[in-house]
Amino acid sequence: MTSNSNDIIETQKTALVVGASGITGSALVDRLTEDGWEVLALSRSAVSTDRVRGIAADLRDAVSLKAALASETPTHVFFTAWQRQATEAENIAVNGAMVRDLLAALAHAPVQHAALVTGLKHYLGPFEAYAAGEMPDTPFREESERLDTPNFYYAQEDDLFAAAARQHFTWSVHRSHTVIGHAVGNAMNMGLTIAVQAALTKHLGVPFVFPGSEAQWNGLTDMTDAGVLAEQMVWASTEPAGQNEAFNIVNGDIFRWRWLWPRLAEMLGVPAEQVVGFEGEARPLEVQMAQLEQHWPAVVAEHDLVESDISRLASWWHTDADLGREMEVVTDMGKSRDAGFLSFRRTDQAFAELFERYRADRLIP
């Protein structure tokens, strides 16, 4: 009888995924549905599928959130959304409020755990002071003190902690490095951005140029596959060792871009003679691609692709920010490993499988 009761409890886990159409949210939906969870996806459009029930609400409207969630009873919340603003003060106001209002709208619900995705800007600082001041030494570790700089990640954490104390649920924070995964229309999509760059340069017969700094080209770095991030979030939400903790989350391997760049070119069919690494100075994609992106419709027509709006595929600015850093960035996973999360992913293999998915979707040649 006890076994049957436990089986029933297991089938009653209901996840509310905020940001379900993004890179992280999409991977979470895949993981949760594969594991048999009931999945709710909150968005303005409330898109439902055979696996997910959509809920329509505006994250920036507390009244809308309260009304939309009044009758919902999720047991677990996965918050993966953010909205970039012009200044960090606005980022704090907007993104902090989204976490605060969302959790307040669930005060009636039987929430057991809420998981929040942030990132390495926790250690590097916000966009307007990115890697500019005194930072913890690498590899970054979770016990490092917060920077003495306003940061919307800190505001989101504080609102999460306050809601958890008030509403009596556990929490986890997941600090990812650059996330690569399957999504379209995302503001931070390095995988698809590089694939579009490669398609254009191959089409035009011009160099496929690494856009970043010498420190990134020659130094060690790591990345986060969205599937590994989703695994850690689900693990932390269901295992006692993951409760009330902040965890770094990267794939577990390290690499140098001078090693990975030609391998990505080969995966994307760029001839070796067109591949160019760091030479003297960073060459940002926002500059490189300014005169090339007008040719994207021709690439779409030649290969019968389905998305002619390049702005929905490539986020030049964010890839420039990641690859333009003037420092080596490596992340420690010791805390997560000690707690029992042992998943590992090779970054080059993650890129290869991602490119195949985008080809299957006819988004890249």
Side-chain angles (χ1 to χ4, degrees), residues 38-184:
E38 179 183 356
V39 180
L40 312 174
L42 188 143
S43 67
R44 288 187 180 184
S45 56
V47 175
S48 295
T49 68
D50 58 348
R51 305 185 304 163
V52 178
R53 177 162 62 83
I55 299 173
D58 182 352
L59 277 173
R60 296 184 61 175
D61 184 339
V63 174
S64 167
L65 283 170
K66 188 172 183 179
L69 296 171
S71 61
E72 303 296 343
T73 55
T75 57
H76 295 72
V77 178
F78 298 90
F79 199 99
T80 73
W82 76 292
Q83 294 183 16
R84 190 186 184 193
Q85 306 300 310
T87 68
E88 193 60 17
E90 292 173 85
N91 276 328
I92 290 168
V94 169
N95 291 285
M98 289 196 302
V99 172
R100 184 170 61 252
D101 294 342
L102 183 281
L103 293 173
L106 293 170
H108 66 281
V111 176
Q112 300 170 21
H113 187 93
L116 170 69
V117 177
T118 64
L120 295 197
K121 287 189 287 295
H122 183 96
Y123 309 108
L124 289 160
F127 284 119
E128 61 190 47
Y130 194 54
E134 185 174 349
M135 292 172 293
D137 197 8
T138 55
F140 294 135
R141 292 181 169 86
E142 294 92 338
E143 65 267 22
S144 300
E145 297 291 332
R146 289 180 174 182
L147 303 179
D148 188 21
T149 307
N151 191 320
F152 83 83
Y153 284 164
Y154 305 161
Q156 288 185 311
E157 284 188 346
D158 289 343
D159 284 314
L160 172 66
F161 303 156
R166 183 174 60 248
Q167 294 166 226
H168 308 292
F169 56 76
T170 58
W171 56 266
S172 57
V173 174
H174 304 267
R175 298 173 185 162
S176 61
H177 198 169
T178 302
V179 178
I180 56 169
H182 185 269
V184 179

Side-chain angles (χ1 to χ4, degrees), residues 316-333:
W316 311 128
W317 69 273
H318 192 267
T319 297
D320 285 340
D322 275 338
L323 298 184
R325 291 179 298 217
E326 297 290 348
M327 63 175 291
E328 185 176 87
V329 177
V330 183
T331 315
D332 182 75
M333 283 288 289

